[in-house]
Amino acid sequence: MSKQTQTARKTVKDIAAAKGGVPLVCLTAYDAPTAALLDEHADLLLVGDSVGMVVHGLPSTVGVTMEMMILHGQAVMRGSTKAFVVVDMPFGSYETNADQAFLNAARIMKETGCQAVKIESGAYAAQQISHLVERGVPVMGHVGLRPQAINVDGGFRAKGRTLDERGRVMAEAKAAEEAGAFAIVIEGVAEDLAAEITAAVACPTIGIGASSACDGQILVTPDMLGLFDWTPKFVRRYASLNTAITEAVAAYADDVRARTFPGKAETYSLRKPEA
């Protein structure tokens, strides 16, 4: 029997061990070339169901399917070799019961080779998380603003602005941790609530719109690269790809119409006959 190939990927233990230490660097990835660029710098790559909006042009994440998540998960795994890769479980793939959650999580892990899945952790989710973890599926939780619940919330609305809501978000985070989640994404909450949750749970918290009080940060990569005209308040743009791409395409169009592209450098010619 041949010796199994050893990989240099980070493991769930590496992510869990980051609690209270150097913040985890996390980004979304949806394709192999982008994953390859991010891999050297990111501790964790999330194949987020945000792919439905930023790649497929859907109005929300609700329309994302298992097939979409698996396709993009496979691409990210091909493009990366070091980062810990998590794939989102899409809306409708885990809410019914624990058995449904396991069957779909197992399919995602088998078909992509990813290291973990992520579940948006409503009050119902602790049973699913525990069921998955007991059966060998590492699970990342997600509390606060939950994009899959947009139709109940009436939009992408920050959470934890009332005492009742703060208590509910905290309870969901504690339930996810107690059920065995190795990390929890906290989205769209005030800094003090993010700090309270981070102090209250033993697993790392990863913030998105939740301040630097968390154990790590994640952003949607096309947002932080400035691919779109509008970005949420919590995003810092580290590039302006929208402008760069627009200018590049405009220059290409001008060259094509002026017949200056392709030029001699980009054109093949007949080989000279050998003597």
Side-chain angles (χ1 to χ4, degrees):
M1 181 181 295
S2 61
K3 185 178 180 180
Q4 290 184 334
T5 303
Q6 299 296 312
T7 67
R9 283 193 189 275
K10 291 184 180 293
T11 69
V12 70
K13 289 186 176 181
D14 294 323
I15 303 302
K19 179 70 178 181
V22 177
L24 292 162
V25 176
C26 312
L27 286 164
T28 64
Y30 316 111
D31 59 75
T34 303
L37 292 172
L38 304 180
D39 193 46
E40 188 65 30
H41 307 283
D43 299 302
L44 184 152
L45 295 178
L46 172 65
V47 186
D49 58 0
S50 51
V51 68
M53 300 176 71
V54 301
V55 175
H56 294 275
L58 296 176
S60 74
T61 64
V62 174
V64 174
T65 65
M66 283 282 292
E67 286 69 28
M68 290 165 66
M69 295 311 306
I70 288 169
L71 178 68
H72 290 283
Q74 290 169 337
V76 169
M77 287 298 294
R78 293 188 196 107
S80 62
T81 60
K82 297 180 180 179
F84 187 85
V85 177
V86 181
V87 175
D88 257 335
M89 294 195 69
F91 179 72
S93 68
Y94 59 91
E95 296 92 337
T96 301
N97 55 49
D99 288 337
Q100 178 207 30
F102 176 71
L103 289 174
N104 283 323
R107 182 185 170 199
I108 287 172
M109 294 192 74
K110 283 182 177 181
E111 295 187 29
T112 68
C114 70
Q115 283 72 61
V117 299
K118 180 167 77 64
I119 286 179
E120 291 194 10
S121 310
Y124 57 84
Q127 181 182 358
Q128 276 90 327
I129 293 172
S130 176
H131 191 79
L132 293 180
V133 173
E134 288 173 356
R135 285 155 180 78
V137 180
V139 180
M140 174 182 283
H142 182 144
V143 301
L145 192 165
R146 294 188 290 115
Q148 291 178 9
I150 183 176
N151 289 318
V152 172
D153 293 338
F156 295 99
R157 185 176 62 84
K159 293 291 186 179
R161 291 185 169 180
T162 66
L163 288 177
D164 286 346
E165 201 171 66
R166 288 171 72 92
R168 186 161 57 250
V169 174
M170 175 65 80
E172 290 172 355
K174 287 184 175 180
E177 179 221 0
E178 291 169 2
F182 69 88
I184 299 173
V185 169
I186 305 176
E187 180 169 0
V189 305
E191 181 175 15
D192 60 337
L193 179 55
E196 288 177 20
I197 294 172
T198 300
V201 300
C203 62
T205 58
I206 298 171
I208 176 167
S211 83
S212 60
C214 300
D215 296 303
Q217 297 295 322
I218 187 165
L219 285 175
V220 172
T221 299
D223 282 345
M224 60 87 74
L225 293 178
L227 194 60
F228 303 114
D229 291 330
W230 177 86
T231 52
K233 169 184 172 62
F234 55 78
V235 173
R236 180 180 295 176
R237 289 193 180 201
Y238 286 85
S240 298
L241 293 193
N242 184 307
T243 300
I245 291 172
T246 299
E247 291 176 351
V249 173
Y252 166 71
D254 288 344
D255 287 349
V256 169
R257 290 174 181 134
R259 295 188 183 276
T260 58
F261 176 83
K264 187 173 182 180
E266 299 93 13
T267 303
Y268 294 102
S269 58
L270 291 175
R271 291 180 177 176
K272 294 181 179 179
E274 295 181 3

